[in-house]
Amino acid sequence: MVGEAGLSVLIAVLMLVAVLASYGFAWYSWRRVDHPISDRFALLLVADGSWALFSLLGHVSPTDELALLFRFPFTTGSAVLAVVFWFLFVIEYTTDSEWIPSVVVRGFVLLAVGYIAVLAVSPVGFIYTEVGVAHFGHIRIPYGEFGPGALAYLLVTYAVLLLTFGLLGRFLLQTRNLFRKQAAVIFASTFAVLLSTIVFVARLSPHPRLDLTPILFVVQAVGVGVALYRYDFLDVEPMAAHTLLEEMADPVFVVDSSERLVDWNDAADAYVVRDDGRTTLDDIAIPDLPGTLTATDGGPGGDTTTVTTTRSGGSRERVTFDVRTTPIEDRYDIVRGRAVVLRDVTEQEQRKRALETQNERLEEFTGVVSHDLRNPLQVIDSRIELARQTGDLSHLEDAGEATRRMEELLEDLLDLAREGQVLDETDEVDLADCARRGWESVDAPEASLAVETERVVVADESRLRQVFENLFRNAIEHGGDDVTVTVADTDDGFVVADDGPGIPPEERDSVFDLGVTSSTDGTGFGLAIVERVVAAHGWSVTASESGSGGARFDVSLSERTLPALDE
């Protein structure tokens, strides 16, 4: 069993290690002044090191008088400063300085300075009722019996330490992700001070007068230092970032200078596929997001681009995000990371596309009005003039036919304008029922319809029926009154096919263009309307040859228009 002599040597060695560790960390921290609060942490370490140094000098002093000189005021004064710098560090670390009244901070600092001044002038009396030196093995232990001043200040010190303990605990509960590891290490290290206090007050140390707090206080400071520099806390101030993140409804990701994902808010949590401390934007369920960093890193104001992905929460709906990347700078204007904010602009993009589509329709309408309607008008004008000149009313029949032609064109133009708009309301639609209702509007008693689909889609029922009606009329116009039309399922949608003459390969890409028709009675708008309605649903349509050599129209559906699977 180790005797007093061995324990006294061990205590002296531990004090020396505490001195070297504190000053070493202080030097390292001071060199890293490019990091936030590094200076506060350096001052804390200097105070801790001085506390341990003067305690060590008092223990190894050759005389009792010199041991008391080191204890009062140097050791005690350093201990007081250590608590002050710890308090200042914690409120800066947790960014609680703005919540704690400045008068409280200044009052505690002035109280500490005043206490040290009184201690230096007259330690015996108000602060300590008596002082002395105890001996333990090879060391001296200078001590003082607490007077009213020391007891009062001790209560204030414990209150401040409990306050910092509470601030760190609240910070631990509120912070998240990588910063939670930092906070946990720092929070755990504060138990060292509480442990040393309990040991000293309960007289559980190797000697009743021996205070091991300088050693354990350094252990706490070293633990804090490991958390700060091991987990790169000083690269980004976490509490401020956390507060900002949680107040935002949009997904927000924070990456450090190494492109490591260090924090994100609840709105972004659904897109994080793994969290093992090495997560990067490549691990986010938004495939195109990493490529936006270079494109959007345009300076302090941030630049934007867009990405499209599947909406979180199990939905198959596609969502478009406006991506804004903003550099995160410390107090020295050094970039420590970037905040990537995703703003949902799906509705804006839909309105933008709708406006672009409407502008395209306007140009098409202008072309139709200036070209296709001009011919019937010319016919009407010329026939009326001939009837006037000749008195032959048969010319008016041609004028009437031209009028009916204009009515057909105008009706199709109105249909085209309506079908090009963004869908207002959708629901689950049975394709078979919708196709049969569309067939009822077709006047072709000798033609036949075969329905071979059981698919259900999310669509605007009335406009989907218009698709079937136009495809059916197209089949009858080109395939004859006895044509057979088939509606069937495909792997990614459905098909409408007929057994008519079909569409020549060189014309299949242009059949959906406005005004294209091979029928003398057609307006060339029917398939254009089909293409517009299909596009409004987010689908696509292509023309090809059916198995019987007729026309075949394949409609491919998007995932978001398929009904959700039952849970």
Side-chain angles (χ1 to χ4, degrees):
M1 187 174 182
V2 181
E4 287 187 1
L7 283 176
S8 64
V9 172
L10 178 61
I11 291 170
V13 171
L14 291 176
M15 287 286 184
L16 178 60
V17 171
V19 172
L20 296 177
S22 293
Y23 286 145
F25 254 113
W27 174 79
Y28 175 75
S29 181
W30 197 261
R31 290 186 61 190
R32 300 189 65 175
V33 293
D34 59 317
H35 292 78
I37 72 170
S38 185
D39 51 350
R40 298 286 181 92
F41 185 57
L43 291 174
L44 169 64
L45 290 169
V46 169
D48 289 346
S50 300
W51 186 3
L53 174 63
F54 290 123
S55 296
L56 175 62
L57 293 176
H59 290 325
V60 298
S61 294
T63 64
D64 291 352
E65 292 76 11
L66 189 58
L68 288 173
L69 179 63
F70 281 121
R71 175 63 188 269
F72 310 107
F74 297 108
T75 301
T76 305
S78 298
V80 170
L81 290 177
V83 175
V84 170
F85 288 132
W86 170 250
F87 175 60
L88 296 177
F89 169 78
V90 169
I91 63 176
E92 184 75 12
Y93 168 76
T94 58
T95 66
D96 281 311
S97 55
E98 60 184 58
W99 301 106
I100 297 179
S102 58
V103 63
V104 173
V105 178
R106 288 196 297 267
F108 179 60
V109 173
L110 291 176
L111 179 63
V113 172
Y115 185 79
I116 294 173
V118 174
L119 188 65
V121 174
S122 179
V124 181
F126 178 69
I127 297 181
Y128 295 104
T129 56
E130 66 173 294
V131 296
V133 177
H135 294 265
F136 179 72
H138 299 295
I139 64 175
R140 288 178 167 82
I141 306 176
Y143 66 90
E145 295 290 347
F146 287 161
L151 288 174
Y153 190 79
L154 188 63
L155 290 176
V156 173
T157 299
Y158 285 160
V160 169
L161 289 176
L162 288 176
L163 174 61
T164 60
F165 193 76
L167 294 177
L168 288 171
R170 183 177 67 89
F171 176 75
L172 174 62
L173 294 177
Q174 291 185 347
T175 194
R176 56 185 293 144
N177 307 328
L178 180 65
F179 299 130
R180 182 176 293 275
K181 299 176 183 178
Q182 304 162 359
V185 174
I186 295 174
F187 186 76
S189 67
T190 59
F191 279 100
V193 175
L194 294 180
L195 178 62
S196 67
T197 302
I198 294 173
V199 169
F200 180 66
V201 172
R203 306 295 185 182
L204 298 176
S205 59
H207 188 279
R209 301 289 187 180
L210 181 63
D211 186 4
L212 299 177
T213 304
I215 298 174
L216 295 179
F217 211 96
V218 170
V219 170
Q220 178 198 37
V222 171
V224 172
V226 170
L228 298 187
Y229 297 110
R230 167 63 179 85
Y231 294 111
D232 296 327
F233 163 72
L234 297 180
D235 283 350
V236 180
E237 296 185 46
M239 192 60 184
H242 170 77
T243 302
L244 174 64
L245 289 177
E246 294 309 317
E247 289 180 353
M248 297 188 67
D250 296 318
V252 182
F253 302 95
V254 178
V255 296
D256 61 15
S257 56
S258 302
E259 303 298 339
R260 179 178 51 169
L261 191 65
V262 296
D263 205 0
W264 58 89
N265 62 356
D266 289 338
D269 193 60
Y271 296 101
V272 180
V273 296
R274 71 184 181 96
D275 177 20
D276 57 6
R278 298 185 300 275
T279 308
T280 68
L281 289 182
D282 291 324
D283 301 306
I284 303 302
I286 305 176
D288 296 330
L289 185 58
T292 66
L293 289 186
T294 301
T296 61
D297 192 9
D303 263 328
T304 61
T305 186
T306 58
V307 294
T308 301
T309 186
T310 302
R311 191 180 295 278
S312 63
S315 171
R316 294 181 178 181
E317 184 180 358
R318 303 292 288 175
V319 57
T320 300
F321 287 117
D322 174 275
V323 183
R324 179 175 293 274
T325 302
T326 303
I328 300 175
E329 299 178 346
D330 61 21
R331 67 179 67 176
Y332 302 100
D333 298 327
I334 297 176
V335 176
R336 296 300 177 188
R338 283 179 285 186
V340 182
V341 182
L342 308 184
R343 188 167 59 92
D344 189 343
V345 293
T346 305
E347 293 185 2
Q348 294 92 314
E349 286 296 310
Q350 290 175 344
R351 288 195 294 267
K352 178 182 176 182
R353 288 193 295 269
L355 180 59
E356 292 174 349
T357 301
Q358 289 174 359
N359 290 335
E360 293 175 359
R361 300 295 177 268
L362 180 59
E363 294 180 1
E364 293 174 343
F365 295 162
T366 302
V368 170
V369 171
S370 65
H371 181 270
D372 290 26
L373 291 182
R374 181 182 301 164
N375 292 334
L377 285 173
Q378 289 174 344
V379 171
I380 294 172
D381 183 64
S382 63
R383 296 305 178 185
I384 291 176
E385 182 62 26
L386 286 172
R388 182 184 298 114
Q389 292 177 359
T390 64
D392 185 358
L393 298 182
S394 63
H395 293 295
L396 296 180
E397 295 180 2
D398 293 334
E401 182 64 29
T403 301
R404 287 191 293 274
R405 172 69 173 171
M406 287 182 63
E407 290 177 352
E408 292 177 0
L409 288 170
L410 289 174
E411 287 178 1
D412 283 346
L413 279 172
L414 291 174
D415 285 341
L416 187 61
R418 181 175 67 88
E419 304 305 344
Q421 297 172 0
V422 175
L423 303 179
D424 293 326
E425 184 176 350
T426 60
D427 200 352
E428 292 188 5
V429 178
D430 185 287
L431 276 181
D433 290 343
C434 188
R436 293 188 180 98
R437 285 194 295 270
W439 184 258
E440 292 173 357
S441 67
V442 176
D443 184 16
E446 297 181 8
S448 59
L449 174 68
V451 179
E452 301 172 2
T453 176
E454 298 179 355
R455 187 181 294 278
V456 176
V457 298
V458 177
D460 183 322
E461 194 275 338
S462 66
R463 295 171 71 177
L464 179 57
R465 186 169 67 248
Q466 180 71 16
V467 169
F468 285 119
E469 291 173 355
N470 284 6
L471 290 176
F472 295 158
R473 289 194 183 101
N474 180 78
I476 293 170
E477 287 177 4
H478 297 279
D481 293 339
D482 60 348
V483 69
T484 298
V485 182
T486 302
V487 178
D489 288 334
T490 60
D491 291 340
D492 63 346
F494 63 92
V495 61
V496 177
D498 62 57
D499 60 357
I503 305 171
E506 65 274 9
E507 297 178 7
R508 291 171 186 168
D509 291 336
S510 61
V511 293
F512 300 107
D513 293 343
L514 194 64
V516 174
T517 180
S518 61
S519 172
T520 56
D521 297 330
T523 63
F525 291 164
L527 293 183
I529 292 174
V530 168
E531 194 275 335
R532 303 306 192 269
V533 176
V534 167
H537 282 82
W539 308 338
S540 63
V541 59
T542 57
S544 61
E545 184 179 0
S546 68
S548 60
R552 173 187 173 106
F553 296 93
D554 286 88
V555 178
S556 297
L557 311 179
S558 62
E559 287 187 355
R560 71 181 180 89
T561 57
L562 296 174
L565 297 177
D566 294 336
E567 297 294 338

Short mmCIF file of all heavy atoms in Angstrom, two decimals, residues 276-308:
data_model
loop_
_atom_site.label_atom_id
_atom_site.label_comp_id
_atom_site.label_asym_id
_atom_site.label_seq_id
_atom_site.Cartn_x
_atom_site.Cartn_y
_atom_site.Cartn_z
N ASP A 276 -23.31 8.55 -39.65
CA ASP A 276 -22.27 7.88 -38.90
C ASP A 276 -21.08 8.79 -38.61
O ASP A 276 -19.99 8.33 -38.31
CB ASP A 276 -21.78 6.64 -39.66
CG ASP A 276 -21.29 6.98 -41.07
OD1 ASP A 276 -21.23 8.19 -41.40
OD2 ASP A 276 -20.97 6.05 -41.82
N GLY A 277 -21.30 10.12 -38.71
CA GLY A 277 -20.21 11.06 -38.45
C GLY A 277 -19.36 11.34 -39.67
O GLY A 277 -18.53 12.25 -39.65
N ARG A 278 -19.54 10.56 -40.76
CA ARG A 278 -18.77 10.78 -41.99
C ARG A 278 -19.70 11.05 -43.16
O ARG A 278 -19.33 10.90 -44.31
CB ARG A 278 -17.90 9.55 -42.28
CG ARG A 278 -16.87 9.25 -41.21
CD ARG A 278 -15.96 8.10 -41.63
NE ARG A 278 -16.70 6.89 -41.88
CZ ARG A 278 -17.06 6.01 -40.93
NH1 ARG A 278 -16.73 6.26 -39.67
NH2 ARG A 278 -17.73 4.91 -41.23
N THR A 279 -20.91 11.45 -42.85
CA THR A 279 -21.92 11.68 -43.88
C THR A 279 -21.57 12.91 -44.70
O THR A 279 -21.18 13.95 -44.17
CB THR A 279 -23.30 11.87 -43.24
OG1 THR A 279 -23.56 10.78 -42.35
CG2 THR A 279 -24.38 11.91 -44.30
N THR A 280 -21.72 12.80 -46.01
CA THR A 280 -21.54 13.93 -46.92
C THR A 280 -22.82 14.11 -47.72
O THR A 280 -23.77 13.34 -47.58
CB THR A 280 -20.35 13.70 -47.87
OG1 THR A 280 -20.68 12.64 -48.78
CG2 THR A 280 -19.08 13.33 -47.09
N LEU A 281 -22.83 15.12 -48.59
CA LEU A 281 -24.01 15.35 -49.42
C LEU A 281 -24.24 14.21 -50.41
O LEU A 281 -25.34 14.07 -50.94
CB LEU A 281 -23.87 16.68 -50.18
CG LEU A 281 -24.00 17.95 -49.32
CD1 LEU A 281 -23.88 19.18 -50.18
CD2 LEU A 281 -25.32 17.96 -48.55
N ASP A 282 -23.20 13.40 -50.65
CA ASP A 282 -23.39 12.23 -51.51
C ASP A 282 -24.31 11.20 -50.88
O ASP A 282 -24.83 10.31 -51.57
CB ASP A 282 -22.04 11.58 -51.83
CG ASP A 282 -21.19 12.46 -52.74
OD1 ASP A 282 -21.77 13.13 -53.61
OD2 ASP A 282 -19.95 12.49 -52.56
N ASP A 283 -24.49 11.29 -49.55
CA ASP A 283 -25.34 10.34 -48.83
C ASP A 283 -26.76 10.87 -48.66
O ASP A 283 -27.56 10.26 -47.94
CB ASP A 283 -24.74 10.04 -47.44
CG ASP A 283 -23.34 9.46 -47.55
OD1 ASP A 283 -23.18 8.47 -48.26
OD2 ASP A 283 -22.41 10.04 -46.94
N ILE A 284 -27.07 11.98 -49.32
CA ILE A 284 -28.41 12.55 -49.24
C ILE A 284 -29.25 11.98 -50.38
O ILE A 284 -28.77 11.80 -51.49
CB ILE A 284 -28.36 14.09 -49.34
CG1 ILE A 284 -27.45 14.65 -48.23
CG2 ILE A 284 -29.75 14.68 -49.24
CD1 ILE A 284 -27.88 14.27 -46.84
N ALA A 285 -30.52 11.72 -50.10
CA ALA A 285 -31.42 11.11 -51.09
C ALA A 285 -31.90 12.14 -52.10
O ALA A 285 -33.07 12.17 -52.47
CB ALA A 285 -32.60 10.45 -50.39
N ILE A 286 -30.98 12.98 -52.55
CA ILE A 286 -31.25 13.95 -53.62
C ILE A 286 -30.05 13.85 -54.55
O ILE A 286 -29.03 14.53 -54.35
CB ILE A 286 -31.42 15.37 -53.07
CG1 ILE A 286 -32.51 15.41 -51.99
CG2 ILE A 286 -31.77 16.35 -54.21
CD1 ILE A 286 -32.67 16.76 -51.33
N PRO A 287 -30.09 12.99 -55.56
CA PRO A 287 -28.90 12.65 -56.34
C PRO A 287 -28.15 13.84 -56.93
O PRO A 287 -26.92 13.83 -56.98
CB PRO A 287 -29.46 11.74 -57.44
CG PRO A 287 -30.71 11.17 -56.86
CD PRO A 287 -31.29 12.25 -56.00
N ASP A 288 -28.85 14.87 -57.36
CA ASP A 288 -28.19 15.98 -58.05
C ASP A 288 -27.69 17.06 -57.11
O ASP A 288 -27.10 18.04 -57.56
CB ASP A 288 -29.15 16.62 -59.07
CG ASP A 288 -29.55 15.65 -60.16
OD1 ASP A 288 -28.73 14.77 -60.48
OD2 ASP A 288 -30.68 15.77 -60.68
N LEU A 289 -27.90 16.90 -55.79
CA LEU A 289 -27.56 17.97 -54.86
C LEU A 289 -26.06 18.26 -54.78
O LEU A 289 -25.66 19.43 -54.80
CB LEU A 289 -28.11 17.65 -53.48
CG LEU A 289 -27.93 18.74 -52.41
CD1 LEU A 289 -28.57 20.04 -52.87
CD2 LEU A 289 -28.51 18.30 -51.08
N PRO A 290 -25.18 17.24 -54.68
CA PRO A 290 -23.73 17.56 -54.57
C PRO A 290 -23.22 18.41 -55.73
O PRO A 290 -22.37 19.28 -55.54
CB PRO A 290 -23.07 16.18 -54.55
CG PRO A 290 -24.12 15.26 -54.02
CD PRO A 290 -25.41 15.79 -54.58
N GLY A 291 -23.74 18.19 -56.92
CA GLY A 291 -23.27 18.94 -58.08
C GLY A 291 -23.67 20.39 -58.05
O GLY A 291 -23.13 21.20 -58.82
N THR A 292 -24.60 20.77 -57.18
CA THR A 292 -25.03 22.16 -57.13
C THR A 292 -24.10 23.03 -56.30
O THR A 292 -24.16 24.25 -56.39
CB THR A 292 -26.44 22.27 -56.52
OG1 THR A 292 -26.39 21.86 -55.14
CG2 THR A 292 -27.43 21.40 -57.27
N LEU A 293 -23.22 22.43 -55.47
CA LEU A 293 -22.38 23.23 -54.60
C LEU A 293 -21.47 24.15 -55.39
O LEU A 293 -21.35 25.34 -55.10
CB LEU A 293 -21.55 22.34 -53.68
CG LEU A 293 -22.33 21.62 -52.58
CD1 LEU A 293 -21.38 20.90 -51.65
CD2 LEU A 293 -23.18 22.60 -51.80
N THR A 294 -20.80 23.60 -56.39
CA THR A 294 -19.91 24.43 -57.21
C THR A 294 -20.71 25.46 -57.98
O THR A 294 -20.33 26.63 -58.09
CB THR A 294 -19.11 23.56 -58.19
OG1 THR A 294 -18.35 22.62 -57.44
CG2 THR A 294 -18.17 24.42 -59.01
N ALA A 295 -21.86 25.03 -58.48
CA ALA A 295 -22.66 25.94 -59.31
C ALA A 295 -23.28 27.07 -58.51
O ALA A 295 -23.55 28.14 -59.05
CB ALA A 295 -23.78 25.15 -60.00
N THR A 296 -23.50 26.87 -57.21
CA THR A 296 -24.20 27.87 -56.42
C THR A 296 -23.30 28.60 -55.44
O THR A 296 -23.76 29.43 -54.68
CB THR A 296 -25.34 27.23 -55.62
OG1 THR A 296 -24.79 26.26 -54.71
CG2 THR A 296 -26.32 26.55 -56.53
N ASP A 297 -22.02 28.27 -55.41
CA ASP A 297 -21.11 28.90 -54.45
C ASP A 297 -20.63 30.22 -55.04
O ASP A 297 -19.49 30.36 -55.45
CB ASP A 297 -19.93 27.98 -54.14
CG ASP A 297 -19.14 28.48 -52.93
OD1 ASP A 297 -19.62 29.42 -52.27
OD2 ASP A 297 -18.06 27.93 -52.66
N GLY A 298 -21.52 31.18 -55.04
CA GLY A 298 -21.21 32.44 -55.71
C GLY A 298 -20.80 33.56 -54.80
O GLY A 298 -20.72 34.70 -55.22
N GLY A 299 -20.55 33.30 -53.53
CA GLY A 299 -20.13 34.36 -52.65
C GLY A 299 -21.05 34.47 -51.46
O GLY A 299 -21.95 33.67 -51.26
N PRO A 300 -20.84 35.49 -50.61
CA PRO A 300 -21.59 35.60 -49.37
C PRO A 300 -23.09 35.66 -49.58
O PRO A 300 -23.86 35.18 -48.78
CB PRO A 300 -21.06 36.92 -48.76
CG PRO A 300 -19.72 37.11 -49.38
CD PRO A 300 -19.82 36.53 -50.75
N GLY A 301 -23.54 36.24 -50.67
CA GLY A 301 -24.97 36.33 -50.89
C GLY A 301 -25.59 35.04 -51.35
O GLY A 301 -26.79 34.85 -51.28
N GLY A 302 -24.79 34.12 -51.85
CA GLY A 302 -25.30 32.85 -52.32
C GLY A 302 -25.85 32.94 -53.72
O GLY A 302 -26.28 33.97 -54.20
N ASP A 303 -25.79 31.83 -54.43
CA ASP A 303 -26.37 31.70 -55.76
C ASP A 303 -27.39 30.58 -55.70
O ASP A 303 -27.48 29.85 -54.72
CB ASP A 303 -25.30 31.36 -56.79
CG ASP A 303 -24.80 32.59 -57.51
OD1 ASP A 303 -25.61 33.52 -57.68
OD2 ASP A 303 -23.63 32.62 -57.89
N THR A 304 -28.18 30.44 -56.76
CA THR A 304 -29.21 29.42 -56.73
C THR A 304 -29.21 28.58 -58.00
O THR A 304 -28.76 29.01 -59.05
CB THR A 304 -30.61 30.05 -56.58
OG1 THR A 304 -30.85 30.91 -57.71
CG2 THR A 304 -30.72 30.85 -55.31
N THR A 305 -29.70 27.37 -57.85
CA THR A 305 -30.00 26.49 -58.97
C THR A 305 -31.14 25.61 -58.49
O THR A 305 -31.66 25.81 -57.40
CB THR A 305 -28.77 25.67 -59.39
OG1 THR A 305 -29.07 24.94 -60.57
CG2 THR A 305 -28.34 24.73 -58.28
N THR A 306 -31.56 24.64 -59.29
CA THR A 306 -32.69 23.81 -58.89
C THR A 306 -32.33 22.34 -59.03
O THR A 306 -31.52 21.96 -59.88
CB THR A 306 -33.94 24.10 -59.73
OG1 THR A 306 -33.64 23.90 -61.11
CG2 THR A 306 -34.43 25.52 -59.50
N VAL A 307 -32.94 21.51 -58.18
CA VAL A 307 -32.84 20.05 -58.28
C VAL A 307 -34.24 19.48 -58.12
O VAL A 307 -35.10 20.08 -57.47
CB VAL A 307 -31.91 19.46 -57.20
CG1 VAL A 307 -30.48 19.90 -57.41
CG2 VAL A 307 -32.39 19.84 -55.80
N THR A 308 -34.46 18.33 -58.71
CA THR A 308 -35.77 17.67 -58.62
C THR A 308 -35.57 16.27 -58.06
O THR A 308 -34.64 15.56 -58.45
CB THR A 308 -36.44 17.59 -60.00
OG1 THR A 308 -36.59 18.91 -60.52
CG2 THR A 308 -37.80 16.92 -59.90
#
